Amino acid sequence: MNKTTASTKCECRDYDFVVVGGGMAGVCAAIAAARHGCRTALIQDRPVLGGNASSEIRMHISGADYLRNAGARRETGILEEVRLENLFRNPQRSPAMWDLLLHEWTSREPLLSLFLNSVALAPLMRDPAHIQAIRVRQLASEREWMLQAPLFADCSGDGQIGAQAGAEFRMGREAAAEFNETLAESAADHYILGSSLMFMARDMGRPMPFVKPDWAPAFPSDAALQHRDHRRYQYGYWWIEWGGHLDTIHDNDRIRDELLKIALGVWDHIKNHGDHGAQNWALEWMGMLPGKRESRRFVGDYILRQSDLEGGRIFDDEVAYGGWPIDTHPIEGFNSPEHPCRQIQVPLYSIPLRALFSRNIANLFFAGRNISASHIAFASTRVMATCALMGQAVGTAAAICRAKKIVPRQAAQSAIGLIQQRLLADDCFLLGKKNADADDLACKAMVSAGSFKPGCGPEKVIDGVARPSLDDEHCWESAPLTESEAWLALTWPQPVTIRKLQLTFDSELEKRLIFSQDDSIYTDPLTLNAMPGRLAKHFELQTCTASGWEPVRVVADNRQRVRRELFDPPLVTAAIRLRCKATCGYPAARLFEIRAYA
């Protein structure tokens, strides 16, 4: 009788850029790199993308736009694309549909290979300072790959691959004296922010009993939930947090089990102790994967710190920005008698590229909650909208590194202007930076319009800023659409060749664009719960011919802030015109920026 032994064959694949971690940072990093010509691999150990924002954890994506009546602070770029599309296609706010949308956004990039349910096992080192490849195993298919590349990014949160490669990292809280941080502890320790477990509940329209498992704790009085508001219970509570005194990596299962006990004890309190109005409510979903806040933080060429945030520092090598408060929690989490968080408001601040690559592993980027920051600075940078911006910055920088055959540190020194201009062109806001793209033909054109509101003339669309500031709208706005044609034209002295026209419309960046399971969030008039009214919905692009203006592109269902219209064969014209026919509700047309490229 012949005996066979099953073995796993490891297949080698070559890429330009390999990203570990499919949370919002990793997704944006991979998409950005692929769009800029990098053959990219994205490795995710779960069946869905999104990390803490996925259907497995269901935390909404927070960022700088949390602050009401503070102007246009919302993060744009790839994150804005996905959230606007979700707003349009997923009005039912289904977590599974959000998963599907992230899958679609990655799968439609021809240069991006997605490895789901795949664990990054270990790095293969070319030498102590360079990763050569990452060994990956896909559990269900029993397949293994060795993914080789000149550049890598650890966007996994926990930073396992970076740590195995020998990248320097920190874990815990620094002493106040190290970075002169007034919010830090007097002595360094190993404590970090704990993890949380979310749940969802639904009104069933009839009495619904709940029997607490014997192994879950009982909280018979509100005193046990001091400082923890539980008047609304549809979406669970972020303050069901625990594990900050442990190792959130190696003790992850222990933390999950404790969080599950606490969550069921809290639900028992709501259902069975006191009148909370929850007689008809039942648990619909209970998370089984902890939403992790903190673990390893890598060390880059620069460590972001409290003074950078509070001073709104603008770095020469800025590639992203943050604006969430410095948000620290007691290490005991749910068991602490203190308030569950302490928030210190900060202005918008920049994040340097030097905080997004390793100090000692030459070809390793990182983005997300594991960036080079002190524990205090991390308490602001950790939120997912900020992580998405850092991811897009890293993917963009990786593409430029690959094209120029340089490593991240060299990019921060010699290519930062190019990286910044590319990020601006991709609708990523940078503090104090303007469009200075020499290839943008729109900047060489004369701009005119059929009508405009005072202070919002046509010249605003080429002033280099694509969002409103406190003292300037940086936007063309027409007269009401019912009173006159709303058009804006670019005219050149001689015909030019146009292969791409990029339009940046108004998606109301002063409002929150958030995807949450909490209905109460959408009662706020400064939260978008429908397509932005000022967004252009129906428009034409026209060129000037001997017989007049002729349409070359008609868009009847726009739902994006940025439209990139490609022309093949290219347009050869001395004038091109945007004619807006309808918005999503606003009476006039609005446009922040127009770019034209040959």
Side-chain angles (χ1 to χ4, degrees), residues 411-481:
Q413 295 167 348
S414 64
I416 190 62
L418 178 57
I419 295 169
Q420 290 169 338
Q421 286 301 313
R422 193 158 292 176
L423 287 167
L424 289 172
D426 291 339
D427 197 30
C428 291
F429 176 62
L430 297 176
L431 298 171
K433 297 292 187 294
K434 291 186 176 184
N435 173 22
D437 190 344
D439 294 329
D440 181 5
L441 298 172
C443 295
K444 303 175 177 67
M446 183 183 75
V447 190
S448 58
S451 62
F452 60 89
K453 169 186 166 183
C456 295
E459 72 283 356
K460 297 292 186 180
V461 300
I462 58 169
D463 72 358
V465 182
R467 65 169 59 201
S469 61
L470 294 179
D471 59 350
D472 194 331
E473 291 197 59
H474 297 289
C475 181
W476 164 66
E477 180 173 326
S478 72
L481 297 174

Side-chain angles (χ1 to χ4, degrees), residues 561-581:
R561 167 178 151 86
V562 177
R563 293 286 309 204
R564 298 175 180 91
E565 301 298 331
L566 306 180
F567 297 96
D568 186 15
L571 301 175
V572 179
T573 181
I576 192 162
R577 187 167 81 165
L578 164 70
R579 183 184 173 206
C580 183
K581 294 188 171 182

Side-chain angles (χ1 to χ4, degrees), residues 125 127-131 162 165-168 357-365 408-409:
M125 304 301 292
D127 57 56
H130 292 82
I131 301 173
E168 294 180 39
F357 61 79
S358 173
R359 181 164 72 182
N360 66 306
I361 303 298
N363 61 342
L364 177 64
F365 286 102
R409 179 173 290 114

